[in-house]
Amino acid sequence: DAGVIQSPRHEVTEMGQEVTLRCKPISGHNSLFWYRQTMMRGLELLIYFNNNVPIDDSGMPEDRFSAKMPNASFSTLKIQPSEPRDSAVYFCASSLYIGQGSQETQYFGPGTRLLVL
Amino acid sequence: LAKTTQPISMDSYEGQEVNITCSHNNIATNDYITWYQQFPSQGPRFIIQGYKTKVTNEVASLFIPADRKSSTLSLPRVSLSDTAVYYCLHHNAGNMLTFGGGTRLMVKP
């Protein structure tokens, strides 16, 4: 299995531009998570999907951030317009959710390092 | 929100056993305890997960006392490549993972 795939691995853009990050979860997984990691705030959960439906987006910073999951094998995180404070590493993770009270392991992708100038 | 407390950093030497203890006083009945490892420029990687007593795999052991308010990750005979940040979490399947600051382990030669 190729694991969770993210693209691009690195992105440099100018303030005000639109940024789209992409994620392909592990085949067969039904949950997908987007995280952001910075030195100041550590690893934060932004949003997660179960069976392609957003379950909790309370971690999304503001309206400039949006995430979609049109099918089980693809998700995007979009920032429009981007700002310098959005600079961070964005991770996508996927898991197989069986039910409450069961074990669950999240598998993380390599991340996208975003720099907004 | 699920919250854990663990040391900010630890130092060790190659070949030693390292034990990292985590406190999770508000763990819920259905929560599992999970440890992740993160190397620089990589995503967190699952190490081990358990519910109670002891769990062992090829990488580590996890000790959980009866009250489940703490857990200890044990890394046998660490090497330089074990230098990483180790995160302790407790969660129920389908719920959000809340990562704390983690423990930065430095293994010295």
Side-chain angles (χ1 to χ4, degrees):
Chain A
D1 196 322
V4 176
I5 299 173
Q6 291 187 246
S7 64
R9 293 293 308 276
H10 303 273
E11 178 80 31
V12 180
T13 189
E14 292 185 337
M15 181 174 61
Q17 296 297 306
E18 177 181 291
V19 175
T20 299
L21 311 181
R22 298 173 176 80
C23 176
K24 177 178 168 56
I26 292 174
S27 177
H29 282 186
N30 57 7
S31 292
L32 183 140
F33 308 79
W34 283 101
Y35 291 86
R36 177 174 67 176
Q37 187 171 37
T38 62
M39 288 293 293
M40 292 296 294
R41 300 176 67 88
L43 199 58
E44 304 172 282
L45 178 67
L46 301 177
I47 184 172
Y48 82 91
F49 296 83
N50 185 256
N51 292 322
N52 312 337
V53 175
I55 303 300
D56 192 320
D57 64 354
S58 59
M60 295 287 262
E62 48 197 275
D63 292 344
R64 298 185 297 106
F65 286 69
S66 63
K68 295 182 179 179
M69 191 165 186
N71 56 62
S73 59
F74 183 67
S75 176
T76 59
L77 177 67
K78 184 176 294 186
I79 308 173
Q80 167 63 19
S82 58
E83 297 182 2
R85 61 191 168 121
D86 301 329
S87 298
V89 181
Y90 291 81
F91 291 104
C92 175
S94 71
S95 71
L96 176 62
Y97 171 60
I98 299 174
Q100 287 280 316
S102 64
Q103 290 184 311
E104 181 187 26
T105 300
Q106 291 190 17
Y107 296 85
F108 284 74
T112 295
R113 188 174 297 274
L114 173 65
L115 177 61
V116 183
L117 302 174
Chain B
L1 290 177
K3 180 172 175 60
T4 59
T5 303
Q6 52 185 123
I8 294 175
S9 64
M10 293 181 69
D11 288 343
S12 183
Y13 291 92
E14 281 189 293
Q16 289 188 333
E17 177 185 83
V18 171
N19 296 306
I20 306 175
T21 298
C22 176
S23 297
H24 26 79
N25 292 318
N26 61 342
I27 189 169
T29 302
N30 289 332
D31 285 356
Y32 279 81
I33 297 160
T34 308
W35 286 78
Y36 283 82
Q37 174 192 55
Q38 186 176 24
F39 297 114
S41 301
Q42 294 186 26
R45 182 175 73 106
F46 170 85
I47 300 177
I48 197 167
Q49 184 176 72
Y51 186 79
K52 60 181 178 180
T53 63
K54 178 183 175 182
V55 178
T56 298
N57 61 23
E58 64 278 6
V59 177
S61 294
L62 178 59
F63 300 91
I64 305 169
D67 65 5
R68 303 196 335 118
K69 293 185 181 301
S70 67
S71 61
T72 299
L73 173 73
S74 181
L75 305 172
R77 297 180 299 282
V78 294
S79 62
L80 297 177
S81 62
D82 292 317
T83 294
V85 179
Y86 293 82
Y87 296 96
C88 163
L89 306 97
H90 62 90
H91 72 108
N92 195 350
N95 291 345
M96 299 189 299
L97 286 185
T98 301
F99 282 83
T103 296
R104 191 172 298 274
L105 174 65
M106 174 67 72
V107 180
K108 303 174 182 178

